[in-house]
């Protein structure tokens, strides 16, 4: 029986799923996301993994002036002091600002997939563990992460908001190659210079897992849409393994 591969977007204004997607959820017997978001302990696991290694601190990666700029910005936008997050990986703070980049109450497509899967009394699993996902932000230089965070803060989110809107438009148009192009050409070094760490290496690890799972049960896979496109994207990697991967029209 066929399994289905669906590209998600982690934050958007509209999470309504089209008929093809709903039919695919109906036709499959389990849901696999990047992480098992339904696992109650996942938030706790993530919290433990948010700290930088070797006691690195934001206040030492930034000049005192820049740390104050960050602190003021966080107090204004998140009602929290940067001092509380001194040991956190800078990208974690950046991700706390993501909802501010939308002019709506942000929602995630994953939550919608989970909701429907639960209504169907089916199980939810993850292709990787929290530590796999959080390790990515130990492999990307902390200095690059903090530089990008500071850029966002000094620009008062303007450029990031624009790029976020572009990404949502590309997603709504189902243009997965366009999404990869946007990431490649982004001013944000984290996405443009770390494609292997963020996408390709993880894609390659997922393929043997997906193959094993699909043999067992027809499965609905929901992963970030950026993972689908390109030579090292999940679609082409599955085709190279002899799988027939076709768009559902």
């Amino acid at each position: 029986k066929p399994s289905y591969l669906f590209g998600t977007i982690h934050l958007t204004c509209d999470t309504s799923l089209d008929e093809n997607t709903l039919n695919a959820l109906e036709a499959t017997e389990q849901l696999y996301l990047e992480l098992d978001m339904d696992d109650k302990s996942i938030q706790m696991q993530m919290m433990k993994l948010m700290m930088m290694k070797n006691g690195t601190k934001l206040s030492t990666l930034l000049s005192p002036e820049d740390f104050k700029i960050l602190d003021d910005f966080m107090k204004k936008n998140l009602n929290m002091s940067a001092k509380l997050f001194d040991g956190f990986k800078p990208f974690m703070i950046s991700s706390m600002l993501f909802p501010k980049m939308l002019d709506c109450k942000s929602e995630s497509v994953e939550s919608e997939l989970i909701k429907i899967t639960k209504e169907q009394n089916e199980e939810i699993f993850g292709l990787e563990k929290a530590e796999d996902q959080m390790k990515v932000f130990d492999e990307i230089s902390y200095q690059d992460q903090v530089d990008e965070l500071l850029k966002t803060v000094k620009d008062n989110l303007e450029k990031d908001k624009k790029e976020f809107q572009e990404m949502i438009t590309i997603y709504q148009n189902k243009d997965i190659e366009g999404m990869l192009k946007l990431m490649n050409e982004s001013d944000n070094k984290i996405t443009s210079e770390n494609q292997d760490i963020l996408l390709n290496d993880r894609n390659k690890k997922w393929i043997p897992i997906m193959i094993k799972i699909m043999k067992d049960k027809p499965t609905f896979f929901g992963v970030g849409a950026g993972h689908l496109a390109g030579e090292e994207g999940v679609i082409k990697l599955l085709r190279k393994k002899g799988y027939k991967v076709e768009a559902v029209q």
Side-chain angles (χ1 to χ4, degrees), residues 80-97:
M80 289 185 272
S81 167
K83 290 170 187 164
L84 293 172
F85 297 91
D86 204 9
F88 277 56
K89 294 171 188 171
F91 186 80
M92 297 304 122
I93 300 170
S94 298
S95 62
M96 286 160 66
L97 295 168

Side-chain angles (χ1 to χ4, degrees), residues 127-128 132 135-136 139-140 193-209 226-227 232-234 237:
L127 286 167
E128 57 190 8
D132 301 323
K135 196 171 73 196
V136 163
E139 290 174 27
I140 296 171
E193 293 181 8
N194 294 286
Q195 299 267 317
D196 280 345
I197 299 170
L198 283 171
L199 301 175
N200 303 338
D201 296 348
R202 291 165 66 209
N203 295 345
K204 285 171 195 153
K205 283 180 187 155
W206 293 348
I207 298 302
I209 302 168
H227 289 277
E232 298 185 75
V234 174
L237 291 177

Side-chain angles (χ1 to χ4, degrees), residues 3 15 21 24-25 27 37 41 50 57 59 66 70 72 101 111 115 139 168 176 185 206-208 210 212 232 249:
S3 284
T15 58
T21 310
L25 281 162
M37 312 282 283
S41 68
M50 282 183 183
K57 298 271 188 266
S59 51
D66 284 341
L70 174 64
D72 291 344
M101 293 175 199
S111 303
K115 187 178 128 236
E139 290 174 27
I168 287 175
I176 56 171
E185 293 171 2
W206 293 348
I207 298 302
M210 290 172 78
K212 191 168 174 288
E232 298 185 75
Q249 303 293 353

Side-chain angles (χ1 to χ4, degrees), residues 100-116:
K100 300 263 174 209
M101 293 175 199
L102 293 171
D103 302 321
C104 63
K105 183 177 178 294
S106 61
E107 301 178 61
S108 86
V109 172
E110 284 85 355
S111 303
E112 191 60 24
L113 294 173
I114 288 170
K115 187 178 128 236
I116 294 168

Side-chain angles (χ1 to χ4, degrees), residues 128-189:
E128 57 190 8
K129 301 263 185 290
E131 50 265 34
D132 301 323
Q133 208 164 87
M134 297 300 272
K135 196 171 73 196
V136 163
F137 298 102
D138 288 319
E139 290 174 27
I140 296 171
S141 127
Y142 294 147
Q143 193 63 57
D144 281 354
Q145 291 179 50
V146 84
D147 290 348
E148 287 302 334
L149 172 60
L150 196 64
K151 219 159 74 180
T152 294
V153 164
K154 286 182 172 175
D155 184 46
N156 200 27
L157 302 174
E158 287 311 310
K159 204 161 194 176
D160 294 79
K161 277 182 179 172
K162 194 167 157 286
E163 196 167 283
F164 219 77
Q165 282 313 128
E166 269 179 67
M167 187 162 72
I168 287 175
T169 305
I170 288 169
Y171 181 77
Q172 286 165 342
N173 293 336
K174 303 184 179 179
D175 177 9
I176 56 171
E177 293 297 336
M179 188 161 274
L180 200 60
K181 187 169 181 282
L182 180 75
M183 290 176 79
N184 275 327
E185 293 171 2
S186 173
D187 270 351
N188 187 319
K189 272 190 191 172

